[in-house]
Amino acid sequence: MAFITANWNPLGEAFYRKMELYEMCWSLGDGLRDCLVAAAPYGGPIALLREPHRRSPSSRPQLEIYSASGVAIASFPWKSGPVVQLGWTVSDELLFIQEDGSVLIYDVFGSFKRHFSMGQEVVQSQVLEAKVFHSPYGTGVAIVTGSSRFILATNIDDLKLRRLPEVPGLQGTPSCWVVLTQDRQTKVLLSNGPELYILDNTSCTAVCPPGLGPQAGSIVHMSVSFSYKYLALFTDTGHLWTGSSHLQDKLIEVDTKKTTPPKQMVWCRRPKSQQPSVVLMWDKLLMVAGVCQDNIQFPIEDLCVLVGELDGVRIISSTNQELLQEVPLVCQEIFKIASMAPGALLLEAHREYEKSSQKADEYLREIKEQSMLGEAVRQCVEAAGHEYDSNTQKSLLRAASFGKCFLTDFSPDPFVSTCRELRVLNGVRESSVGLPLTHTQFKQMTLQVLIDRLVYRQFYPLAIEICRYLKIPDYQGVSRVLKHWASCKVQQKDLTDEAIARAVCVKVGDSPGVSYSHIAAKAYECGRTELAIKLLDFEARSGEQVPLLLKMKRSQLALSKAVESGDTDLVYTVVTYLKNEMNRGDFFMTLRNQPVALSLYRQFCKLQEQETLKDLYNQDDDHQELANYHVTASYREKRLDSRLSLLQSAVDEYNKAKNEFSAKATEDEMRLLRFQRKLDDEKGAGLLGLSLQATMEALLALGLHKQAEQLYRDFKVPDKRYWWLKLKSLAEKEEWDELEKFSKSKKSPIGYLAFVDVCMKSNNKYEAKKYVSKVTPEQRVKAHLAVSDLEGAADAAIERKNESEMGAVLARCSASDHLLIDRLNRAAAAKK
Amino acid sequence: MAHSVRRDCPELPDFFLLKRLARDQLIYLLEQLPGKKDLFIEPDLMSPLDRIANVSTLKQHEVDKLYKVEYKPVLSTSDQLCFLIRPRIQTVKWICDVANADKAAGKCRRYKIIFTPQKFYACEAVLEEQGLIGDVTTDEWSFYLLPLDEDIISLELPEFFRDNFLAGDQRWVRTAGSALHLLHSLYGPFSKVYGIGRCSKMAYESWREQVEEGEQRAQHAEIGKVFLIDRDVDFVTPLCSQVVYEGLVDDIFRIKCGCVEFGPEVTSSDKSMKVMLNSQDKVFNEIRNEHFSNVFGFLSQKARNLQTAYDKRRGMDIKQMKTFVSEELKGLKQEHRLLSMHIGASEAIMKKKTKQDFQELLKTEHSLLEGFEIRESISFIEEHINRQVSMIESLRLLCLLSITENGLLPKDYRSLKAQYLQSYGVDHLLTFANLRQLGLLVEQQPGETLTVMESKVGKLVNDKTAGKLSDAFSSLARKSNFRALSRKLNLVPKSDEEYDLRVPRDMAYIFSGAYVPLSCKLIEQVLERDGWTGLEEVTRLLNGHEFAVTGSNGADSKAKNDAQRIVLVMFLGGCTFSEISALRFLGRERGYKFIVVTTAITSSSRLIEALLDNHV
């Protein structure tokens, strides 16, 4: 396979190869002449803006967007202002930087997304030159204005305009300039005649590249590498200086013997390679200048555009597209003529094996003797990744697989993953898709991003196939693609809501991680509210539906969905929203239909807005709750008259609620309060706020029997209660005479056992005994026992011939009472 | 003891993991605020926090001083304040006041609020209203579950009951769902979930939602079945006086977070003593589930055994004595200490409870449960009110009367209410309104107008939203069907037979053989039938909302038999110690192990207190 090295060109220790990627599918009449061209890195799309400078109302410039393989994606006449620069963002959006400083953003299909401006001053001074650059922060834009000022936006998605300091002595545009991202700062490097400056946020510093003598002349072209690590400067004497972008080390200085500045100058290096080189392009010549004095020269016939990539340079001409790159070390080792690297030997061994030649064994032995078989396999696998031609890939992978057979513990993972990845890469490199990604680029941009880009370009079936093929979990894979598909589907204006909803539902089904609310939100964004509501119906989690429904002003529906979700936080969110959105009446009416929301709001009002609570009840004509509200409020009131007036309102409401009982009770309370107030004023009794019972207790304790009596009558206190009360109170004060008088005042409604018990509680047996005789026969035994009169108890029990009572007495007898015990036993026996 | 214990009871899962997870997360959150800081803790989080991370752990993570949240201006001098609180608007408002006061005084501090177990939008809304979103950072400590014992896990959310059942505020439902989710992810997958009650159903749904959102790890199930039950399914059981030892201790001394403070009357010294009550306490472990009448006998037997063990010392030679001292004496001393403490507690209980009043109280309760001698019971309650025995107890009896009798006659309702108001103040009008709303204390409706409405609502239930609409205040229309339920499920054993409390034959022993707790009976029946089939009439009487769902791994459930006999019972709205005792009994009888998860341990007085609405 000697021809693999046919297109290799040595440069110093390295080789460079130029491979054709595509024959372009486009047919450009005028080639790339008179065009503004922008091609995105990582095999991104190409945009052409034809004849941007010739302005006449009848002929507008035509904008065309192609895939990297030249398949037309979009084309439309440019109707906006004159464009200074085109550029792609990291997410494949096209930027148009116009003369007046406004930047228009279009998507890859040519539909307008949004725009922003580089500042008001630019409208006056105009943009002279502009550059689009990529950094870890995203895509940035830098411009030079007519007043020779630089304005930067580091990330167009988070727009912060920075006006860089003035450059001394700069008139018009600088001879050349680049944007650098260094030390987490974005700077501009520019040359003005012989001077070189670095502009950062605060200062403009004159710098001098080490080793570039004054005889070299002034810098007319400069270029920074993909990783912002290296810088190349081209002077008007044809010298090319290369070095680190920090301007601290010099790599080399070469005399190109060309006095015209190159049309384009792009770094060409691959990560980890020690051999950086610069590709320069003139009208008819392409030159690769490396770190040695050597260079490679290619003649070119057509006008080309160079696109710097992570690991090479793409050369786009009107007919084809080529990739110029340094041959990866591993490929060199394998394919270099007469290479004895293990990978090369393995490849050879496999070739012989296929020819059924015993030489295969010899080669294999040779590798095994050096115990390099593992290394050989690794090399073949790695080299396969770097090869663009599928036949070469196959032969390398077959060789690897062959070698693997002779290894016992060799992890198959790199082999398997390389096979899979190559299959994917070959798929996306297809001319119809047009993503000419190298393996290195693919690894750098990650699979996720690749899928995103496919999705963005609307290659949904391919994206889904890739996800399934690589077994990516649904959540990150298929579902994500479906989500994008559905979001795109809802924008199809030619289909009815019904059709779209059905199509989405059929495809998406209930794939995990696809949120219908998200799709619905998209539909709403496109102004299809009805479709959005239809889609929301598919959303299983009601909680997810709420925010969008609110946005669509379907607040009633949002509220009921929130309630359905059972998530009170969500209900509360809607309630707060409604509260601010609606007038009070409507708001209350809405709540009224949603008891859960209502009670939640009530809870909140109870703590935060007491007044609102009242309005709520008023609105509902909920007199019962309103009355309760007044009662609660009355207790917070210190002053008696306001308290009474609140209670009066409560009475009115209770009456309206036909709750006579509560109305009466509240009226009684008012009466009691007035009474207490009067007595407090007269006697300083400290009664206010006590319950009726407590009031009477206090009165009796103070000896105000008359007043207590009055309450007893006025408030229709049941006899029993009053008797208990008075009994306890008299006993506590040990007014035994009073007690006796009281017991005789009329027949006790609580019986007389209570008197006995209460006296005993005060340890007054003498008084207790007075009442024993008055106790009803049923309780007499108990009464006797209570005063520890066993004999009396026994008598009573025997008299009543009640066995269980006799038992109760017996239980209390101690051994010394044997006489009594005998009597009781006899009586019990007699009864039997 | 004399229980017929099935020997093949499965082992309980280890819940220590829950504590460790909570502690690790708390430490992580504290470290998010580097440097010295003062920590303010919500009073009712103090005890739970103590079980997770003690003061020295907190100090290790640069907590300087600890304060209780007391709604007063703060005295702290630290420039970093951290608040560990429940998501309550009131507390957040206080923190806003603190921050605003500092602002006015020109003090610059960092504030961090850690909400546990989660934050609510309403709380953040308060911060926003006060313009403090930028000054105060918030975080969540997802401390959902506190294992109180090897078979009791509490959410320590007493307010769940009032918020959910009285105020109709469903904010805690998701919390319950998350708690279940946590248990599921650690000890699941569950093979079967049963439940009854509206809140249970919502908690179940919330949990399912969380399961679907997250990733499912295949693991060995340690808990097989789950039973969710709403407190309002059974109000009778928590309203009855507890007579099992642990329940009694709770009723009298109030067990707080697994810990009880015995006063001087128990310790027979002038100091009170804080004691952990759990299965680590060997003496307690043996008597906690016993009817109180057995406890003394058991304790004295134990005391005699102890004496014999001590007595072994006599006649020992030096060597034997040495081993005795080194091996046995410590254990004996420990047991001695515990024994004397529990004897002290029992004496204190006896003093309070064996009085005639208590006997009569129990008698009244039993006749209410049986439905006999209602008039006498009413006059007993009347006297109870008139004599102002206890504000809470009277209400409890009134509620029990109302539930068992399916509401009070209008005449009784009014007169009892009037007397109660005279005793304890008119402000209790609001309490009565609450009790009525919950269906705990209602007036019998003239002519069964309610049933008509009920059937109307019933027809609507098929329609999802209409169902939810009518559900929200279903408790208003709730009708207690206790009598019918009692007949159907045979809750009240025939009283003519003698019930030997030492050898319990069913769960009724926890109420002296007078009543089988409804909640536990339902669990027993559903487990036995593996679902609700055959209980249609019962669920109708209970207002429905029952469900039984077989988990995704239902097919292979037969293989892992041990886990299938571990049943997690989740009480939404609290459960009593008596219910736990009944379930332990049921577990021993049927070879199950029950794990009780509850929003909080409750009791009759806690239940009633939660519904009080007087201004004090």
Side-chain angles (χ1 to χ4, degrees), chain A residues 5 134 336 615 767:
Chain A
T5 55
H134 306 284
K336 210 156 61 177
D615 297 347
E767 286 296 328

Side-chain angles (χ1 to χ4, degrees), chain A residues 556-730:
Chain A
Q556 304 267 0
L557 196 54
L559 188 57
S560 55
K561 292 283 181 193
V563 169
E564 218 172 276
S565 78
D567 181 346
T568 43
D569 274 6
L570 205 59
V571 179
Y572 193 74
T573 317
V574 182
V575 169
T576 335
Y577 179 87
L578 293 181
K579 189 175 148 198
N580 297 331
E581 202 72 354
M582 294 175 149
N583 69 45
R584 222 175 162 81
D586 291 348
F587 174 56
F588 287 163
M589 280 308 282
T590 310
L591 284 184
R592 206 168 156 181
N593 296 327
Q594 290 289 355
V596 175
L598 180 62
S599 58
L600 200 71
Y601 187 59
R602 272 191 194 154
Q603 282 286 88
F604 179 75
C605 287
K606 262 181 202 162
L607 290 159
Q608 286 284 69
E609 301 170 16
Q610 290 278 350
E611 282 302 307
T612 317
L613 201 60
K614 200 167 91 185
D615 297 347
L616 259 178
Y617 294 140
N618 252 328
Q619 160 91 16
D620 283 359
D621 289 332
D622 189 342
H623 299 295
Q624 173 72 30
E625 281 297 336
L626 209 49
N628 287 350
Y629 168 81
H630 286 307
V631 173
T632 318
S634 80
Y635 288 109
R636 281 196 303 270
E637 214 41 79
K638 288 274 178 305
R639 282 172 43 236
L640 184 66
D641 43 352
S642 31
R643 197 161 168 182
L644 286 172
S645 78
L646 278 168
L647 286 174
Q648 185 55 51
S649 329
V651 171
D652 296 346
E653 294 298 334
Y654 277 131
N655 279 329
K656 279 187 205 153
K658 304 227 164 22
N659 188 340
E660 291 140 33
F661 176 82
S662 299
K664 174 90 180 9
T666 314
E667 271 169 2
D668 283 352
E669 170 72 0
M670 291 167 69
R671 213 143 44 96
L672 182 63
L673 281 173
R674 289 201 187 96
F675 176 88
Q676 288 168 337
R677 180 44 160 300
K678 201 177 111 219
L679 271 187
D680 282 359
D681 288 349
E682 284 170 9
K683 320 248 170 184
L687 298 173
L688 199 66
L690 295 179
S691 72
L692 179 60
Q693 171 91 359
T695 313
M696 292 194 295
E697 239 167 58
L699 288 175
L700 289 175
L702 289 169
L704 298 169
H705 291 273
K706 228 191 193 155
Q707 283 83 350
E709 198 93 9
Q710 187 194 337
L711 283 180
Y712 157 61
R713 278 194 310 273
D714 286 0
F715 286 90
K716 301 206 180 63
V717 175
D719 285 351
K720 280 188 184 175
R721 172 191 294 274
Y722 188 66
W723 275 70
W724 270 112
L725 186 64
K726 189 147 185 185
L727 166 62
K728 266 199 240 169
S729 152
L730 289 174

Side-chain angles (χ1 to χ4, degrees), chain A residues 10 29 263 383 396 404 493 670 741 782:
Chain A
K263 286 216 143 150
L396 284 166
K404 226 157 53 72
K493 296 215 165 59
M670 291 167 69
K741 243 193 260 163
K782 264 191 201 163

Side-chain angles (χ1 to χ4, degrees), chain A residues 238-254:
Chain A
H239 278 77
L240 173 70
W241 179 94
T242 53
S244 73
S245 60
H246 284 276
L247 291 170
Q248 270 152 6
D249 312 292
K250 168 178 157 182
L251 282 172
I252 196 155
E253 195 181 326
V254 206

Side-chain angles (χ1 to χ4, degrees), chain A residues 116-269:
Chain A
F116 62 89
S117 163
M118 291 302 285
Q120 207 49 50
E121 64 162 299
V122 191
V123 180
Q124 292 292 315
S125 56
Q126 303 267 297
V127 180
L128 296 182
E129 280 181 14
K131 283 188 201 299
V132 176
F133 60 96
H134 306 284
S135 72
Y137 311 109
T139 303
V141 170
I143 57 165
V144 191
T145 68
S147 46
S148 301
R149 295 298 291 259
F150 284 87
I151 298 177
L152 269 188
T154 318
N155 180 3
I156 56 159
D157 292 323
D158 176 22
L159 195 67
K160 283 194 191 92
L161 292 178
R162 278 164 38 205
R163 197 161 176 266
L164 300 185
E166 206 169 341
V167 182
L170 179 64
Q171 298 285 321
T173 56
S175 4
C176 57
W177 57 286
V178 287
V179 181
L180 294 174
T181 298
Q182 279 177 346
D183 314 324
R184 302 217 238 140
Q185 248 201 347
T186 310
K187 304 172 184 173
V188 169
L189 180 70
L190 73 143
S191 75
N192 183 25
E195 324 279 350
L196 191 63
Y197 297 101
I198 280 197
L199 264 182
D200 61 19
N201 282 355
T202 51
S203 60
C204 173
T205 327
V207 285
C208 181
L212 187 68
Q215 76 286 352
S218 51
I219 296 157
V220 289
H221 206 313
M222 56 174 76
S223 161
V224 68
S225 71
F226 204 77
S227 59
Y228 293 106
K229 226 163 135 185
Y230 297 101
L231 181 71
L233 305 171
F234 191 89
T235 67
D236 57 357
T237 56
H239 278 77
L240 173 70
W241 179 94
T242 53
S244 73
S245 60
H246 284 276
L247 291 170
Q248 270 152 6
D249 312 292
K250 168 178 157 182
L251 282 172
I252 196 155
E253 195 181 326
V254 206
D255 184 2
T256 59
K257 317 232 166 43
K258 293 271 175 191
T259 44
T260 45
K263 286 216 143 150
Q264 248 188 305
M265 182 165 80
V266 178
W267 278 91
C268 174
R269 63 179 294 276

Side-chain angles (χ1 to χ4, degrees), chain A residues 101 219 379 452 531 613:
Chain A
I219 296 157
Q379 282 188 345
D452 279 352
L531 175 60
L613 201 60

Side-chain angles (χ1 to χ4, degrees), chain B residues 412-425:
Chain B
D412 294 335
Y413 183 64
R414 270 162 218 206
S415 99
L416 288 171
K417 236 164 76 169
Q419 300 195 41
Y420 190 87
L421 293 181
Q422 285 185 351
S423 277
Y424 299 108

